[in-house]
Amino acid sequence: MITVQSLRHRLRSLAVVSLLLTVMALVLGPMPSSAAETGWWNPAARPAPDSQINVTGEPFKGTDAQGRVRGFADVHDHIMSNEGFGGRLICGKPFSEQGVADALKDCPEHYPDGTLAVFDFITKGDGKHDPDGWPTFKDWPAHDSLTHQQNYYAWIERAWRGGQRVLVNDLVTNGVICSVYFFKDRGCDEMTAIRLEAQKSYDMQAFIDKMYGGPGKGWFRIVTDSAQAREVIEQGKLAVVLGVETSEPFGCKQVLDVAQCGKEDIDRGLDELHKLGVRSMFLCHKFDNALCGVRYDSGALGTAINAGQFLSTGTFWKTETCRGPQHDNPIGNAAAPQAEKLLPAGVSVPTYASDAQCNTRGLTDLGEYAVRGMMKRGMMLELDHMSVKAAGRALDILESESYPGVISSHSWMDMGWTERLYKLGGFAGQYMSGSEAFSAEARRTDALREKYGVGYGYGTDMNGVGGWPGPRGGDTPNPVKYPFRSTDGGSVIDKQTTGERTWDFNTTGAAHYGMVPDWIEDIRIVGGQKVVDDLFAGAESYLRTWGNSEKYKSGENLASGAAASASSSEWWNPFVSFAPGRAVDGDTGTRWASEWNNDQWLRIDLGSTKPVKRVTLDWEAAYAKSYRVELSEDGTNWKTVWSTAAGDGGLDTARFAGTRARYVRIQGLERGTEWGYSLREAGVYSD
């Protein structure tokens, strides 16, 4: 029997349930909106004809249980390099309103059989090929075809659908290659090419947006800060970052060792690039310039580039015996007849001693100015292609400022710098080599990634004239088996088909960008799940490096303009002062120099007691091999907080537990040279 009281109780319960359902509906959203999201990853229409994607399933969204984004990171690609080098070195375009048949056309001079594919002859030994692309694609794209477009938008889409969530599009060109190449349809100014490639990147974004219904709706999203990138990835889309890789940024070339740019050019250039959306860049690439020396190429390619170096700068590479365990690539003395013919009569590429593998040229004063300018703008510095002398100095600067924005994107940094890079908070990617070699290389640095809790990246360098993983063979005992599931498990990936051509990674290798998921599956088979897991953590690690770079603020130098004294000062030059105050005047063109014996010191009075955690010392050529940093509150009682017996000059950073002090003393114990001790600048910081 239902009483009035029980009826009232049931009605109240129903009201509560109704209220809860209403709240849930508001929180979760109405069903029609969710249904409308079905198939959001498929465009309303594609250009016709077009490539297939051959991936099914919804791209994953959101973050993991720890709030981290997931996905692979390609930190070195060249989508728009067909617009660089005079416009005819890389044949084909990454997109076209008229579809794939229009986009993937060979260069006119490659018809009818590739006989005039001059650059192919230089890089491959035989440039002959079937120039027809659509629909047969008989000879290209291919893993060893260096002059044909590999970044068609639909192939990039396949990589995104396969789990990639970060793509760094490096805008690239080279004025010398452009000038000596026989075929071009535009000028060779590098910054003009960079501007064009940036605009074309935004055009490609708009092209993809149009297919999905309008601005902002496509999966290809150019991002300009790490928060925006996270938002894009959480939506399941691809975050595209613009970078720059060029030999003469801002016009900063050198001619006969004379810089052709100044600080104003660097500031103006960095501002322009930042406005374009560029957030990472190389300061030098292939040729020594006014900013830094390069890490050499080897073999015949090295000889060819050295010839280009002469044509660009009026000087060949110069080598010296390396000062530490790191070294540049050996140049070798291989012939490169086609390139050497371009040299003036009577000029030839020099030979080099096998025991001298380091570039004499490091980071110049203008290069240091550019590094600090990038730091001010929150940009990330690419160490790859820098000589070890330049990279070492760049790392010194970044360490002195605790700046994490440092990248090695495609295996052109000496591996000896890896721990320094990770310790700063930087990010490393490995060149897209064959699965066996890639996996072996990844394992070499596995312990460091574990130690610093970081993921791993790769640099495909597609359209970068480098060559890519070849096939392991159709008869390999452990092939990629189609179809296979993506790393996240949500998508099914089958063989990629464009026109009449179907690519099988086992027999074609990494022929184009769409083969990236297949290559990662091959790595899983050959190298194991651990390598793939590290790669899948790449997007999060890259964004962490970027985000921490954006948060950077330069610390206050407590020593700037402070009173300084010393055990002694050089006095031999009546026109130049080497007084102690020269080490704290903010001018690296001046210095304190001691007498020529071991037991010497420099003391800095901060004016009052302050917390001290970091001391930086920018040594001139006369450095300390053994010295200690001492602190005192009263100038009488001293405490050693840091010391070394392995000083090698350059820019040293001493870090220690925060200690209150008014006085800081640098106590020299053993000289590194026959001279005394000489400091350009000493910095004292509380952070």
Side-chain angles (χ1 to χ4, degrees), residues 177-254:
I177 292 176
C178 171
S179 66
V180 300
Y181 191 53
F182 299 96
F183 307 103
K184 61 179 81 62
D185 54 21
R186 64 195 64 168
C188 295
D189 179 72
E190 292 193 354
M191 289 303 292
T192 299
I194 295 303
R195 295 182 192 105
L196 176 61
E197 290 181 39
Q199 182 57 55
K200 289 291 185 178
S201 299
Y202 286 102
D203 290 347
M204 180 163 157
Q205 176 177 258
F207 165 79
I208 295 171
D209 279 353
K210 183 178 178 181
M211 286 192 290
Y212 284 79
K217 294 188 177 182
W219 52 267
F220 184 94
R221 312 303 322 149
I222 298 175
V223 295
T224 55
D225 62 61
S226 62
Q228 185 184 19
R230 286 187 181 279
E231 182 180 351
V232 163
I233 296 172
E234 288 171 8
Q235 292 171 358
K237 299 182 179 182
L238 179 68
V240 180
V241 186
L242 297 186
V244 164
E245 183 183 41
T246 190
S247 294
E248 297 166 2
F250 333 125
C252 281
K253 68 182 299 180
Q254 60 167 353

Side-chain angles (χ1 to χ4, degrees), residues 185-477:
D185 54 21
R186 64 195 64 168
C188 295
D189 179 72
E190 292 193 354
M191 289 303 292
T192 299
I194 295 303
R195 295 182 192 105
L196 176 61
E197 290 181 39
Q199 182 57 55
K200 289 291 185 178
S201 299
Y202 286 102
D203 290 347
M204 180 163 157
Q205 176 177 258
F207 165 79
I208 295 171
D209 279 353
K210 183 178 178 181
M211 286 192 290
Y212 284 79
K217 294 188 177 182
W219 52 267
F220 184 94
R221 312 303 322 149
I222 298 175
V223 295
T224 55
D225 62 61
S226 62
Q228 185 184 19
R230 286 187 181 279
E231 182 180 351
V232 163
I233 296 172
E234 288 171 8
Q235 292 171 358
K237 299 182 179 182
L238 179 68
V240 180
V241 186
L242 297 186
V244 164
E245 183 183 41
T246 190
S247 294
E248 297 166 2
F250 333 125
C252 281
K253 68 182 299 180
Q254 60 167 353
V255 177
L256 298 176
D257 294 320
V258 177
Q260 304 298 298
C261 70
K263 292 180 178 179
E264 301 81 7
D265 300 298
I266 293 170
D267 282 329
R268 185 165 51 251
L270 286 174
D271 285 342
E272 179 184 6
L273 290 179
H274 195 273
K275 187 175 180 180
L276 287 173
V278 172
R279 294 298 179 266
S280 66
M281 71 174 297
F282 297 76
L283 291 183
C284 50
H285 176 238
K286 299 303 181 185
F287 305 146
D288 295 341
N289 62 23
L291 306 177
C292 52
V294 293
R295 195 164 193 235
Y296 310 127
D297 283 82
S298 299
L301 181 59
T303 300
I305 292 174
N306 200 6
Q309 154 102 2
F310 181 87
L311 295 173
S312 173
T313 69
T315 60
F316 291 106
W317 289 329
K318 298 174 184 176
T319 66
E320 64 184 8
T321 302
C322 301
R323 301 178 184 180
Q326 290 77 31
H327 58 82
D328 294 320
N329 295 321
I331 299 175
N333 297 301
Q338 294 294 329
E340 292 176 275
K341 287 178 183 177
L342 300 173
L343 294 172
V347 176
S348 59
V349 177
T351 57
Y352 295 91
S354 60
D355 61 347
Q357 289 189 12
C358 281
N359 195 335
T360 60
R361 195 171 185 85
L363 194 67
T364 68
D365 289 343
L366 284 174
E368 294 198 18
Y369 185 82
V371 169
R372 296 185 186 279
M374 291 180 66
M375 292 163 59
K376 289 178 183 177
R377 294 163 176 83
M379 298 171 73
M380 292 175 283
L381 174 68
E382 286 268 12
L383 289 186
D384 287 6
H385 291 298
M386 277 188 175
S387 68
V388 293
K389 199 170 185 178
R393 180 66 180 183
L395 286 167
D396 287 346
I397 294 171
L398 299 175
E399 288 166 346
S400 74
E401 297 282 351
S402 299
Y403 188 75
V406 56
I407 304 288
S408 172
S409 63
H410 66 327
S411 303
W412 267 84
M413 176 190 76
D414 189 290
M415 285 191 66
W417 300 129
T418 305
E419 182 156 20
R420 290 181 73 180
L421 178 142
Y422 282 148
K423 193 172 183 179
L424 272 166
F427 184 83
Q430 185 189 151
Y431 189 84
M432 187 187 186
S433 57
S435 305
E436 294 175 344
F438 187 96
S439 300
E441 190 73 8
R443 285 191 288 269
R444 284 181 63 188
T445 52
D446 186 61
L448 285 177
R449 290 194 299 280
E450 291 283 347
K451 179 178 179 179
Y452 292 98
V454 296
Y456 202 36
Y458 50 83
T460 61
D461 203 13
M462 291 280 182
N463 289 4
V465 198
W468 298 274
R472 289 198 293 123
D475 58 350
T476 182

Side-chain angles (χ1 to χ4, degrees), residues 539-562:
E540 172 63 32
S541 282
Y542 178 84
L543 295 188
R544 198 181 306 154
T545 293
W546 188 6
N548 288 336
S549 303
E550 294 167 328
K551 297 173 186 175
Y552 163 77
K553 291 183 180 178
S554 181
E556 179 188 2
N557 183 2
L558 305 176
S560 181

